[in-house]
Amino acid sequence: MISEYSDATADDTAPLALKILVAGGFGVGKTTLVGAVSEIRPLRTEELLSQAGQLVDDTDGVDQKVTTTVAMDFGRITIRAGLSLYLFGTPGQDRFWFLWDELSQGALGAVVLADTRRLEDCFPAVDYFEHRRIPFVVAVNCFAGARTYGSQEVCRALDLDRGTPVVLCDARDRDSGKEVLIRLVEYAGRVHTARLLDSVG
């Protein structure tokens, strides 16, 4: 789950590169989050919404959206010296879910973005990561004009497993997005450590 580069530093410690998924419903802000935090020009696979796609994609609540991710988004952020995160944004539509299995290979954890106006749209992502035992945090993207809910209310509404973090964020803001990613890395680290200890206990 943690990949190491072969180029060791002078003290023989190799920098870590962690793979993180950014998932959630259609139009929730996954591409925006990856773009906001990435220190490199993000790779995007966006296409214009077509009339054919409108027949199968639920665009209620995101009427102004004109493009959609058809494969993935990709970005990179350095959290601190020697620790980088590689971000893979998943497509949100049902018809592209077959890509999730490939994208999730080797992932340390995931961010599930949620919009409280369409909270049910993140249920599939929550179920996916719970069933595959991939640690995740739910990041509520605070859209202008949307009613604000507390983390406990969102936790109950999504029926999350005990201890799953819920954080509020602004996907457009780099610092806010970075805080979400740090929270995920810390949480995923605790989960993987606890599983390792259980396996040898």
Side-chain angles (χ1 to χ4, degrees), residues 24-44:
F26 179 60
V28 77
K30 300 179 295 295
T31 298
T32 300
L33 176 64
V34 172
V37 301
S38 181
E39 62 198 16
I40 62 172
R41 183 177 180 181
L43 168 67
R44 293 176 174 156

Side-chain angles (χ1 to χ4, degrees), residues 32-126:
T32 300
L33 176 64
V34 172
V37 301
S38 181
E39 62 198 16
I40 62 172
R41 183 177 180 181
L43 168 67
R44 293 176 174 156
T45 58
E46 289 200 304
E47 295 292 341
L48 289 172
L49 289 172
S50 64
Q51 283 189 324
Q54 289 176 358
L55 298 176
V56 292
D57 295 330
D58 179 11
T59 57
D60 287 344
V62 285
D63 309 82
Q64 303 303 313
K65 188 171 174 62
V66 296
T67 61
T68 184
T69 299
V70 296
M72 68 174 186
D73 299 309
F74 174 77
R76 185 191 72 208
I77 179 174
T78 301
I79 296 297
R80 58 172 171 75
L83 175 59
S84 297
L85 305 183
Y86 286 86
L87 309 176
F88 292 80
T90 65
Q93 306 96 308
D94 299 4
R95 57 198 168 106
F96 294 124
W97 282 348
F98 67 92
L99 294 170
W100 285 36
D101 288 338
E102 287 293 327
L103 291 175
S104 65
Q105 291 295 317
L108 175 79
V111 173
V112 176
L113 270 179
D115 178 354
T116 56
R117 301 168 301 178
R118 311 170 81 215
L119 197 57
E120 67 280 1
D121 287 1
C122 70
F123 281 141
V126 168

